[in-house]
Structure formats: structure tokens, C-alpha cells
Amino acid sequence: MNGAKLIINEINREAEQKIKYVLEEAEKEAAKIREEARKRAEDRAEWILRKAQTQGEMEKQRVIANAKLEVRRKRLALQEELIEEALNAIRDRLANLPKAEYLETIKGLLKASIEELGEEKVRVSSNEETLKLIAENIDEIKAFLRESLGREVSLELGEKIETIGGVVVENQDGSVRVDNTFEARMERMIGELRATIARILFG
């Protein structure tokens, strides 16, 4: 009986040791799993933080870039507006030249147009006020052209056209014409005008 009890006790002792060992190993494994999980969590948190920082920096740069673009767009729009105002002021100035100054301007435009045409008989078109001014000063204009061109030129007043000023000069059959209206001259010089205005306004 005592032998059986000893055997039972030994079995119980071995069982307790095995249970203790298993529990200890399980605790070690659990601790290892917890540590790995903690490490993964830390790595994940660090990755998320880095990603958030990167995204935040990218968003910051995007906002800055957009702001700079908007400032540039508004500055260009304002510059364009100021240039257009200056061009309109030039148009207004040309449309309202004093009579004496305008007559001298018309003389110069007629001379340039006739030189380009190379004709002795030309037809001149313009707005009603300009045609009237030419008619009123025809002798003075012909004398100017004769002296500046070195030859006689026959001027015929043509039809009335829509323009703020200047002249359209054509040969007798209308096959060749030179448009020296203020609008046409400004259009031909628009690039140079805009550059000059921009330099004056913005340096």
C-alpha cells in the first residue's frame, strides 16, 4: 500500500513539475508574443507618424505652391488690367487730339501712306470729322505733300468709315490700300506698346 502511495505521489510530483514547466513556457511564449506585438505596434505607430509627417509636409508645400500661384495669377491679372487701362487712355488721347495737332498727324499719315502706295492719285477714307478736316485744309495738305514727297499728289475724299482717327489710303481702283487708322496702327504696334507700358508701370 505504501509502495502504491509512493508511486502516486511521484506521478503527482512529476505532473506538477510538467504543469509548472508548461505554464512557465507558456508565460515565456506569451511574453514573447506581447513583446513582438508591442514592437510591431511601435513600428506601425512610427510608420504612421512618419507618413503623417510626410503627408503634412506635402500638404504644406501644396498649400504654399497654390498660394504662390494665386498671388502670381492675381498680380498678372492686375498688370493686365493696368495695361488695358493705359491702352484705353492712349485710344482716348488719340480720339481727342487738339485740332491743330491732329491735322499735323493726318499730314504725316497721308505722307507715309502715299509713300507706301507709290501712287500719284489716291483716295482717302476716314471718319466724318477727319474727312471734313482734310477738306477744310486740302490746299495746306497738298502743299505739304508736294514739298515732302517732291511731286504732286491728287487726293480724292472717299467714303466715311468707323474709326477713332487716322486714314485709309488706296489707289484709284481700290486694289491696294494702306490702313493707317489709329486702331490699325495700334494693333500693329500692340506688342511694343504693351512692353513699353509694362516697363513704365512695373519697371
Side-chain angles (χ1 to χ4, degrees):
M1 190 70 175
N2 287 335
K5 186 175 180 180
L6 288 173
I7 292 171
I8 291 171
N9 288 338
E10 182 62 21
I11 291 172
N12 288 336
R13 187 182 65 78
E14 289 182 1
E16 287 176 358
Q17 288 178 341
K18 286 182 179 180
I19 290 171
K20 183 179 179 183
Y21 173 78
V22 169
L23 290 174
E24 288 176 350
E25 289 300 311
E27 180 60 29
K28 289 179 182 179
E29 186 64 24
K32 182 180 178 182
I33 291 172
R34 285 195 301 270
E35 180 60 22
E36 289 177 353
R38 184 189 66 78
K39 186 66 169 61
R40 284 197 301 270
E42 287 179 354
D43 291 344
R44 175 67 176 173
E46 186 177 348
W47 178 81
I48 290 173
L49 180 60
R50 284 199 307 269
K51 183 178 180 182
Q53 289 173 338
T54 301
Q55 289 177 336
E57 184 62 26
M58 290 173 62
E59 178 64 14
K60 174 185 172 184
Q61 294 303 322
R62 186 188 68 80
V63 170
I64 291 173
N66 286 343
K68 288 181 178 179
L69 189 63
E70 182 66 12
V71 168
R72 174 176 166 77
R73 186 188 66 78
K74 288 183 177 180
R75 184 174 65 248
L76 290 175
L78 178 59
Q79 289 179 350
E80 181 63 24
E81 182 180 339
L82 292 173
I83 289 173
E84 281 301 319
E85 286 182 5
L87 289 172
N88 287 333
I90 293 172
R91 293 186 188 99
D92 290 341
R93 168 80 172 86
L94 291 172
N96 295 282
L97 287 174
K99 190 173 181 178
E101 183 179 350
Y102 186 44
L103 178 59
E104 293 304 311
T105 301
I106 290 298
K107 287 180 183 179
L109 292 176
L110 285 170
K111 176 180 179 290
S113 301
I114 293 168
E115 282 179 328
E116 188 171 340
L117 281 175
E119 300 279 347
E120 293 184 356
K121 293 183 179 182
V122 297
R123 184 183 300 111
V124 181
S125 299
S126 189
N127 58 36
E128 185 175 358
E129 293 78 9
T130 303
L131 292 176
K132 182 179 177 182
L133 181 66
I134 293 173
E136 291 172 348
N137 297 274
I138 191 67
D139 291 337
E140 180 183 339
I141 291 171
K142 284 185 176 181
F144 166 78
L145 293 174
R146 181 171 56 251
E147 183 180 347
S148 60
L149 296 173
R151 56 188 169 91
E152 289 287 345
V153 177
S154 173
L155 293 179
E156 175 189 340
L157 297 183
E159 62 184 10
K160 183 176 67 175
I161 60 174
E162 289 293 327
T163 177
I164 62 173
V167 292
V168 173
V169 181
E170 56 189 5
N171 60 4
Q172 282 292 291
D173 62 10
S175 60
V176 184
R177 70 202 307 257
V178 175
D179 189 345
N180 264 329
T181 58
F182 288 157
E183 294 92 331
R185 289 179 67 82
M186 283 191 67
E187 185 62 31
R188 291 194 292 269
M189 299 172 61
I190 194 67
E192 183 181 345
L193 282 171
R194 292 176 68 88
T196 300
I197 293 169
R199 186 168 60 252
I200 293 170
L201 291 178
F202 314 119

